[in-house]
Amino acid sequence: GQQLNQSPQSMFIQEGEDVSMNCTSSSIFNTWLWYKQDPGEGPVLLIALYKAGELTSNGRLTAQFGITRKDSFLNISASIPSDVGIYFCAGQYGFNKFCFGSGTKLNVKP
Amino acid sequence: EAGVTQFPSHSVIEKGQTVTLRCDPISGHDNLYWYRRVMGKEIKFLLHFVKESKQDESGMPNNRFLAERTGGTYSTLKVQPAELEDSGVYFCASSLDSNYGYTFGSGTRLTVV
Protein backbone atom coordinates (compact mmCIF):
# COMPACT_ATOMS: atom_id res chain seq x y z
CA GLY A 1 0.00 0.00 0.00
CA GLN A 2 0.91 3.68 -0.09
CA GLN A 3 3.60 4.85 2.27
CA LEU A 4 5.08 8.27 2.90
CA ASN A 5 8.59 8.81 4.21
CA GLN A 6 8.67 12.06 6.15
CA SER A 7 11.89 13.64 7.33
CA PRO A 8 13.33 14.73 9.56
CA GLN A 9 11.61 13.00 12.47
CA SER A 10 12.40 15.90 14.78
CA MET A 11 14.15 19.24 14.71
CA PHE A 12 15.54 21.55 17.35
CA ILE A 13 16.07 25.05 16.06
CA GLN A 14 16.61 28.57 17.32
CA GLU A 15 13.86 31.17 17.01
CA GLY A 16 14.31 33.09 13.77
CA GLU A 17 15.79 30.21 11.82
CA ASP A 18 14.22 28.78 8.69
CA VAL A 19 12.93 25.20 8.67
CA SER A 20 12.53 22.68 5.89
CA MET A 21 10.87 19.28 5.96
CA ASN A 22 9.82 16.91 3.23
CA CYS A 23 7.89 13.82 2.28
CA THR A 24 8.71 11.30 -0.40
CA SER A 25 6.95 8.25 -1.70
CA SER A 26 7.24 5.61 -4.38
CA SER A 27 3.54 6.22 -5.12
CA ILE A 28 1.91 9.03 -7.06
CA PHE A 29 -0.57 11.25 -5.25
CA ASN A 30 -3.29 13.54 -6.60
CA THR A 31 -3.18 16.04 -3.78
CA TRP A 32 -0.66 16.88 -1.07
CA LEU A 33 -1.65 18.41 2.22
CA TRP A 34 0.38 19.70 5.14
CA TYR A 35 -1.07 19.66 8.65
CA LYS A 36 0.13 20.92 12.01
CA GLN A 37 -0.80 19.30 15.31
CA ASP A 38 -0.53 21.28 18.53
CA PRO A 39 -0.27 19.34 21.80
CA GLY A 40 -3.65 17.92 22.81
CA GLU A 41 -5.29 18.98 19.59
CA GLY A 42 -6.09 17.38 16.27
CA PRO A 43 -4.14 18.15 13.09
CA VAL A 44 -5.08 21.42 11.43
CA LEU A 45 -4.72 21.95 7.70
CA LEU A 46 -1.99 24.44 6.77
CA ILE A 47 -1.59 24.17 3.01
CA ALA A 48 -3.21 22.14 0.23
CA LEU A 49 -1.50 21.46 -3.12
CA TYR A 50 -3.47 20.21 -6.12
CA LYS A 51 -1.14 20.32 -9.14
CA ALA A 52 2.29 18.90 -9.82
CA GLY A 53 4.87 21.68 -9.57
CA GLU A 54 2.53 23.94 -7.61
CA LEU A 55 4.20 26.26 -5.10
CA THR A 56 1.88 27.73 -2.49
CA SER A 57 2.47 30.10 0.41
CA ASN A 58 0.50 30.77 3.56
CA GLY A 59 2.20 33.52 5.54
CA ARG A 60 5.63 32.28 6.56
CA LEU A 61 4.86 28.80 5.21
CA THR A 62 5.68 27.67 1.70
CA ALA A 63 4.96 24.23 0.28
CA GLN A 64 5.55 22.63 -3.09
CA PHE A 65 3.96 19.68 -4.88
CA GLY A 66 6.81 17.79 -6.53
CA ILE A 67 6.83 17.61 -10.32
CA THR A 68 6.86 13.80 -10.21
CA ARG A 69 3.83 13.86 -7.83
CA LYS A 70 5.79 11.64 -5.47
CA ASP A 71 7.11 14.25 -3.08
CA SER A 72 6.43 17.54 -1.34
CA PHE A 73 8.28 19.91 0.93
CA LEU A 74 7.26 22.46 3.53
CA ASN A 75 9.39 25.46 4.48
CA ILE A 76 8.82 27.72 7.46
CA SER A 77 10.71 31.00 7.44
CA ALA A 78 11.77 33.00 10.49
CA SER A 79 10.44 30.48 13.00
CA ILE A 80 8.73 31.64 16.19
CA PRO A 81 7.94 29.73 19.41
CA SER A 82 4.31 29.09 18.41
CA ASP A 83 5.55 27.07 15.43
CA VAL A 84 6.25 24.26 17.90
CA GLY A 85 4.24 21.15 17.12
CA ILE A 86 4.12 18.10 14.91
CA TYR A 87 3.86 18.63 11.16
CA PHE A 88 2.31 15.92 9.00
CA CYS A 89 2.29 15.56 5.26
CA ALA A 90 -0.58 13.70 3.64
CA GLY A 91 -1.07 12.43 0.11
CA GLN A 92 -4.47 11.77 -1.40
CA TYR A 93 -5.10 8.55 -3.26
CA GLY A 94 -8.39 6.99 -4.24
CA PHE A 95 -11.65 8.59 -3.18
CA ASN A 96 -11.08 11.02 -0.33
CA LYS A 97 -8.48 8.79 1.28
CA PHE A 98 -5.21 10.11 2.64
CA CYS A 99 -1.92 8.52 3.53
CA PHE A 100 -0.05 10.38 6.26
CA GLY A 101 3.63 10.66 7.05
CA SER A 102 4.92 9.84 10.51
CA GLY A 103 5.30 13.50 11.39
CA THR A 104 8.12 15.99 12.01
CA LYS A 105 8.31 17.23 15.57
CA LEU A 106 9.49 20.83 15.62
CA ASN A 107 11.01 22.42 18.71
CA VAL A 108 11.84 26.13 18.67
CA LYS A 109 14.11 27.63 21.31
CA PRO A 110 13.31 31.26 22.14
CA GLU B 1 -19.69 26.56 13.64
CA ALA B 2 -18.73 23.80 16.06
CA GLY B 3 -15.79 21.68 15.02
CA VAL B 4 -15.41 17.92 15.12
CA THR B 5 -15.92 16.78 18.70
CA GLN B 6 -14.57 13.59 20.20
CA PHE B 7 -15.33 11.92 23.52
CA PRO B 8 -13.62 11.03 25.73
CA SER B 9 -10.36 12.92 25.34
CA HIS B 10 -8.52 10.25 27.31
CA SER B 11 -9.32 6.68 28.26
CA VAL B 12 -7.27 4.22 30.26
CA ILE B 13 -8.61 0.67 30.30
CA GLU B 14 -7.35 -2.78 31.14
CA LYS B 15 -6.58 -5.37 28.54
CA GLY B 16 -9.74 -7.33 27.77
CA GLN B 17 -12.14 -4.50 28.56
CA THR B 18 -14.38 -2.71 26.11
CA VAL B 19 -14.14 0.93 25.14
CA THR B 20 -16.40 3.04 22.96
CA LEU B 21 -15.19 6.23 21.36
CA ARG B 22 -17.59 8.81 20.03
CA CYS B 23 -17.25 11.38 17.28
CA ASP B 24 -19.62 14.21 16.40
CA PRO B 25 -18.72 15.58 12.97
CA ILE B 26 -19.32 19.10 11.75
CA SER B 27 -23.03 19.50 11.07
CA GLY B 28 -23.82 18.76 7.43
CA HIS B 29 -20.61 16.84 6.73
CA ASP B 30 -21.61 13.57 5.13
CA ASN B 31 -18.06 12.21 5.14
CA LEU B 32 -16.72 10.93 8.45
CA TYR B 33 -13.37 9.21 8.94
CA TRP B 34 -11.58 7.40 11.69
CA TYR B 35 -7.80 7.43 11.86
CA ARG B 36 -5.33 6.18 14.45
CA ARG B 37 -1.82 7.20 15.39
CA VAL B 38 0.23 4.73 17.35
CA MET B 39 3.05 6.37 19.33
CA GLY B 40 5.52 8.07 16.99
CA LYS B 41 4.15 6.48 13.85
CA GLU B 42 2.08 7.75 10.97
CA ILE B 43 -1.61 8.56 11.19
CA LYS B 44 -3.27 5.53 9.64
CA PHE B 45 -6.65 5.33 7.98
CA LEU B 46 -9.22 3.08 9.64
CA LEU B 47 -12.48 3.69 7.82
CA HIS B 48 -14.71 6.14 5.99
CA PHE B 49 -18.45 6.70 6.29
CA VAL B 50 -20.60 8.49 3.77
CA LYS B 51 -23.69 9.32 5.75
CA GLU B 52 -24.56 6.07 7.53
CA SER B 53 -22.86 3.77 5.02
CA LYS B 54 -19.34 2.40 5.31
CA GLN B 55 -17.61 3.58 2.13
CA ASP B 56 -14.26 2.01 2.95
CA GLU B 57 -13.26 0.00 6.00
CA SER B 58 -10.04 -1.42 4.61
CA GLY B 59 -7.96 0.07 7.42
CA MET B 60 -9.77 -1.60 10.31
CA PRO B 61 -7.13 -3.74 12.05
CA ASN B 62 -9.33 -6.74 12.94
CA ASN B 63 -12.81 -7.75 14.02
CA ARG B 64 -12.30 -6.42 17.55
CA PHE B 65 -13.03 -3.00 16.08
CA LEU B 66 -16.61 -2.03 15.24
CA ALA B 67 -17.63 1.35 13.87
CA GLU B 68 -21.18 2.57 13.49
CA ARG B 69 -22.87 5.73 12.31
CA THR B 70 -26.55 5.28 12.89
CA GLY B 71 -28.66 7.95 11.23
CA GLY B 72 -25.63 9.44 9.52
CA THR B 73 -24.84 11.83 12.35
CA TYR B 74 -22.40 10.91 15.11
CA SER B 75 -20.22 7.82 14.95
CA THR B 76 -18.93 5.38 17.53
CA LEU B 77 -15.86 3.17 17.40
CA LYS B 78 -15.93 0.23 19.78
CA VAL B 79 -12.92 -1.87 20.66
CA GLN B 80 -13.82 -5.21 22.24
CA PRO B 81 -11.83 -6.76 23.80
CA ALA B 82 -9.03 -4.22 23.92
CA GLU B 83 -5.42 -5.35 23.53
CA LEU B 84 -2.19 -3.56 24.48
CA GLU B 85 -1.37 -2.78 20.84
CA ASP B 86 -4.63 -0.84 20.50
CA SER B 87 -3.12 2.03 22.49
CA GLY B 88 -2.78 5.23 20.53
CA VAL B 89 -4.60 8.38 19.59
CA TYR B 90 -7.81 7.87 17.65
CA PHE B 91 -8.75 10.78 15.44
CA CYS B 92 -12.08 11.42 13.85
CA ALA B 93 -12.39 13.79 10.90
CA SER B 94 -15.19 15.02 8.69
CA SER B 95 -15.44 16.71 5.34
CA LEU B 96 -17.94 18.04 2.84
CA ASP B 97 -15.88 17.40 -0.24
CA SER B 98 -13.09 15.07 -1.27
CA ASN B 99 -10.69 17.76 -2.44
CA TYR B 100 -10.30 20.03 0.56
CA GLY B 101 -8.85 17.83 3.22
CA TYR B 102 -10.46 17.07 6.51
CA THR B 103 -11.31 18.84 9.72
CA PHE B 104 -9.95 16.73 12.53
CA GLY B 105 -11.20 16.34 16.05
CA SER B 106 -8.72 16.66 18.91
CA GLY B 107 -8.53 12.90 19.27
CA THR B 108 -9.08 10.31 21.97
CA ARG B 109 -5.91 9.05 23.62
CA LEU B 110 -6.50 5.39 24.43
CA THR B 111 -4.16 3.59 26.77
CA VAL B 112 -4.60 -0.13 27.30
CA VAL B 113 -2.74 -1.46 30.34
Side-chain angles (χ1 to χ4, degrees):
Chain A
Q2 280 77 7
Q3 191 168 353
L4 292 180
N5 300 308
Q6 185 171 351
S7 64
Q9 280 189 325
S10 63
M11 305 180 74
F12 292 82
I13 63 169
Q14 203 72 36
E15 182 178 0
E17 289 183 350
D18 296 343
V19 172
S20 186
M21 59 192 78
N22 69 84
C23 277
T24 61
S25 176
S26 57
S27 303
I28 289 174
F29 293 99
N30 302 321
T31 299
W32 281 93
L33 305 177
W34 283 91
Y35 285 86
K36 182 194 177 196
Q37 184 187 6
D38 289 322
E41 301 293 329
V44 173
L45 183 65
L46 298 175
I47 290 181
L49 302 156
Y50 302 109
K51 289 193 321 188
E54 180 181 354
L55 184 71
T56 297
S57 293
N58 178 6
R60 293 178 297 106
L61 277 58
T62 302
Q64 183 156 33
F65 191 150
I67 198 75
T68 64
R69 294 166 60 196
K70 294 182 180 180
D71 63 309
S72 177
F73 72 75
L74 174 71
N75 288 342
I76 305 173
S77 62
S79 58
I80 58 178
S82 61
D83 291 335
V84 165
I86 304 176
Y87 292 79
F88 292 96
C89 61
Q92 183 183 8
Y93 65 102
F95 177 73
N96 216 6
K97 200 158 144 182
F98 288 87
C99 174
F100 284 79
S102 53
T104 295
K105 189 170 184 180
L106 179 63
N107 299 277
V108 180
K109 286 185 263 187
Chain B
E1 170 184 85
V4 177
T5 309
Q6 291 188 245
F7 302 99
S9 57
H10 293 83
S11 180
V12 181
I13 62 171
E14 291 184 352
K15 177 182 169 180
Q17 289 187 320
T18 297
V19 63
T20 301
L21 314 181
R22 172 170 168 146
C23 169
D24 286 73
I26 292 174
S27 178
H29 281 194
D30 288 340
N31 295 284
L32 186 149
Y33 313 83
W34 284 98
Y35 278 78
R36 175 174 74 172
R37 185 179 192 227
V38 172
M39 179 72 77
K41 301 276 181 73
E42 69 271 25
I43 301 172
K44 291 193 87 166
F45 171 82
L46 295 178
L47 89 160
H48 171 206
F49 283 100
V50 178
K51 297 185 181 177
E52 67 274 11
S53 299
K54 290 176 186 172
Q55 176 78 20
D56 183 345
E57 54 183 326
S58 60
M60 294 288 263
N62 51 61
N63 59 10
R64 294 186 293 101
F65 289 75
L66 175 65
E68 294 180 319
R69 192 182 182 195
T70 308
T73 54
Y74 71 90
S75 174
T76 58
L77 179 64
K78 183 161 74 173
V79 185
Q80 179 183 31
E83 298 289 342
L84 299 178
E85 65 265 23
D86 300 332
S87 296
V89 180
Y90 289 77
F91 289 107
C92 175
S94 71
S95 74
L96 263 178
D97 185 280
S98 65
N99 288 327
Y100 293 94
Y102 310 148
T103 300
F104 279 90
S106 55
T108 294
R109 181 175 292 279
L110 175 65
T111 304
V112 183
V113 296

